[in-house]
């Protein structure tokens, strides 16, 4: 069994929203690649304390505070790492490369063009997204399609920057028509919008990406869409997670609880946070917890190692 080394790294942002990357110097593993600054945790050291120590040693700054952002586990040919990424909210001092490493403040788009360790690259997509993915209810739950579109726009007005259209009750033609209306609204609000459908359909309709059911995930032999579109998938176990990682998807939605069939009147069991934490520790990709879209649940999800939460956005009662 491989030993997994815990590594903590920090996201520092300047006033323009750029992130700080450090280039690994000659003689080190993956020399020349750019990464989020940080390093190995000492035995018994908390991620917050470890990051504060590493950034003082590497950059000469004093971390005032940091919060968990996401985690993932990556297996290189010669080693395995559990990467814990934290958002550094405040620090004292000016970052300087004290270990002969070059530093650069870059936009997320600029970071995409840089050589990065394989463990760091999946995090770039997540960092550009809202940590709350609002999933639409099935149109069959509302009075008519116009009421559904109003509900979709209400989610956008409420500030959700990532929305996903789910409409299993509609025919293919109805779905396409609705997706075009929803996509137009999402673009108007500057939101990322995804479809739960065949990847080819999502691409044809101009969506920002596609969400794969477990059945669609296991039918894939290669990543179904190019790197310019986001691909996420439902996962329930280690086999699902491993496949999503091998396919090079972007994020996974974890449902660490018994599944409830679509349309069932049986209420979904509450999220098992302990199981979520165990699954996040095995995930090769950033995780969304299938949960409520509340600040409390987002904080609990991040404490467990997830990037964010995904849940049904219900229309407000009249």
């Amino acid at each position: 069994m491989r030993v997994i080394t815990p590594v903590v790294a920090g996201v520092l942002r300047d006033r323009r929203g750029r992130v700080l990357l450090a280039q690994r110097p000659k003689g080190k593993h993956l020399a020349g690649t750019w990464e989020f600054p940080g390093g190995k945790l000492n035995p018994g050291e908390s991620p917050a304390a470890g990051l504060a120590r590493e950034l003082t040693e590497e950059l000469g700054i004093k971390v005032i505070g940091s919060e968990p952002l996401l985690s993932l586990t990556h297996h290189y040919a010669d080693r395995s790492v559990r990467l814990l990424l934290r958002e550094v909210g405040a620090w004292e001092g000016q970052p300087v490369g004290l270990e002969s490493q070059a530093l650069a403040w870059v936009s997320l788009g600029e970071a995409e063009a840089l050589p990065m360790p394989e463990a760091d690259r999946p995090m770039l997509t997540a960092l550009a997204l809202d940590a709350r993915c609002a999933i639409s209810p099935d149109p069959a739950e509302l009075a008519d399609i116009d009421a559904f579109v109003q509900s979709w726009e209400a989610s956008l007005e409420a500030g959700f920057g990532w929305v996903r259209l789910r409409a299993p009750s509609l025919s293919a033609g109805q779905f396409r028509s609705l997706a075009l209306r929803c996509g137009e609204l999402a673009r108007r609000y500057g939101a990322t919008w995804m479809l739960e459908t065949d990847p080819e359909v999502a691409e044809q309709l101009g969506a920002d990406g596609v969400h794969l059911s477990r059945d669609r995930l296991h039918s894939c032999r290669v990543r179904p869409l190019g790197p310019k579109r986001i691909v996420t998938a439902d996962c329930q176990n280690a086999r699902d997670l491993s496949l999503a990682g091998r396919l090079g998807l972007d994020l996974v939605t974890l449902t660490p609880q018994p599944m409830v069939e679509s349309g069932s009147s049986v209420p979904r069991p509450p999220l098992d946070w302990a199981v979520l934490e165990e699954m996040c520790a095995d995930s090769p990709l950033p995780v969304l917890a299938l949960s409520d879209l509340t600040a409390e649940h987002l904080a609990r999800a991040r404490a467990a190692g997830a990037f964010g939460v995904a849940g049904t956005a219900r229309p407000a009662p009249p």
Side-chain angles (χ1 to χ4, degrees):
M1 189 178 195
R2 276 192 172 193
V3 174
I4 298 178
T5 302
V7 174
V8 64
V11 176
L12 287 75
R13 305 178 198 259
D14 67 8
R15 293 181 179 179
R16 294 167 53 185
R18 298 178 302 176
V19 296
L20 181 66
L21 296 183
Q23 189 175 37
R24 295 184 66 82
K26 293 180 180 180
K28 283 198 172 186
H29 180 240
L30 303 174
T33 59
W34 293 82
E35 65 181 359
F36 295 101
K40 297 177 184 177
L41 285 177
N42 292 328
E45 191 174 39
S46 73
L51 181 62
R53 173 185 54 76
E54 284 286 344
L55 296 190
T56 296
E57 295 172 357
E58 290 186 14
L59 306 178
I61 64 173
K62 179 182 179 181
V63 174
I64 305 302
S66 68
E67 297 292 337
L69 190 54
L70 63 85
S71 70
L72 55 83
T73 295
H74 186 83
H75 303 286
Y76 291 101
D78 59 343
R79 66 193 67 187
S80 297
V81 297
R82 172 105 193 276
L83 187 55
L84 307 169
L85 191 65
R86 298 181 66 85
E87 182 85 35
V88 181
W91 67 88
E92 292 179 353
Q94 182 67 31
V96 178
L98 298 180
E99 298 181 346
S100 302
Q101 77 276 36
L103 302 178
W105 292 98
V106 298
S107 68
L108 294 178
E110 291 169 337
E112 289 280 359
L114 295 174
M116 297 187 75
E118 293 177 12
D120 286 59
R121 188 154 299 280
M123 299 185 294
L124 291 178
T125 298
L127 291 177
L129 293 168
D130 190 336
R132 305 164 304 154
C133 178
I135 306 171
S136 72
D138 188 327
E141 299 178 25
L142 303 179
D144 53 39
I145 292 299
D146 287 338
F148 178 91
V149 173
Q150 291 172 5
S151 170
W152 175 270
E153 186 167 13
S155 295
L156 296 167
E157 288 180 339
F160 289 104
W162 186 6
V163 286
R164 187 200 304 171
L165 176 60
R166 175 182 176 274
S169 65
L170 300 185
S171 67
Q174 290 172 326
F175 181 85
R176 286 172 177 268
S177 176
L178 178 61
L180 290 173
R181 293 180 67 182
C182 290
E184 181 181 356
L185 283 170
R187 285 189 289 269
R188 186 184 306 169
Y189 283 85
T192 299
W193 66 292
M194 298 179 64
L195 301 177
E196 290 193 26
T197 184
D198 290 328
E200 297 81 4
V201 173
E203 187 169 31
Q204 291 166 6
L205 296 176
D208 293 318
V210 69
H211 180 76
L212 306 176
S213 65
R214 289 183 70 226
D215 287 342
R216 282 198 174 102
L217 170 65
H218 284 278
S219 70
C220 291
R221 296 296 175 264
V222 296
R223 178 185 167 95
L225 293 177
K228 297 299 183 181
R229 284 188 164 83
I230 302 163
V231 184
T232 64
D234 279 329
C235 292
Q236 276 188 273
N237 52 45
R239 178 170 171 259
D240 298 343
L241 290 172
S242 177
L243 176 56
R246 291 199 307 274
L247 292 171
L249 305 192
D250 297 302
L251 298 96
V252 294
T253 299
L254 287 186
T255 56
Q257 56 198 8
M259 291 292 287
V260 176
E261 293 297 326
S262 176
S264 170
S265 60
V266 178
R268 181 180 292 277
L271 180 66
D272 189 324
W273 295 101
V275 175
L276 174 69
E277 186 169 2
E278 293 174 4
M279 294 180 71
C280 284
D282 290 333
S283 180
L285 298 171
V287 167
L288 295 173
L290 191 63
S291 177
D292 292 336
L293 300 173
T294 63
E296 177 189 0
H297 277 217
L298 174 58
R300 291 189 69 178
R302 286 196 161 169
F307 164 68
V309 290
T312 304
R314 301 288 177 182

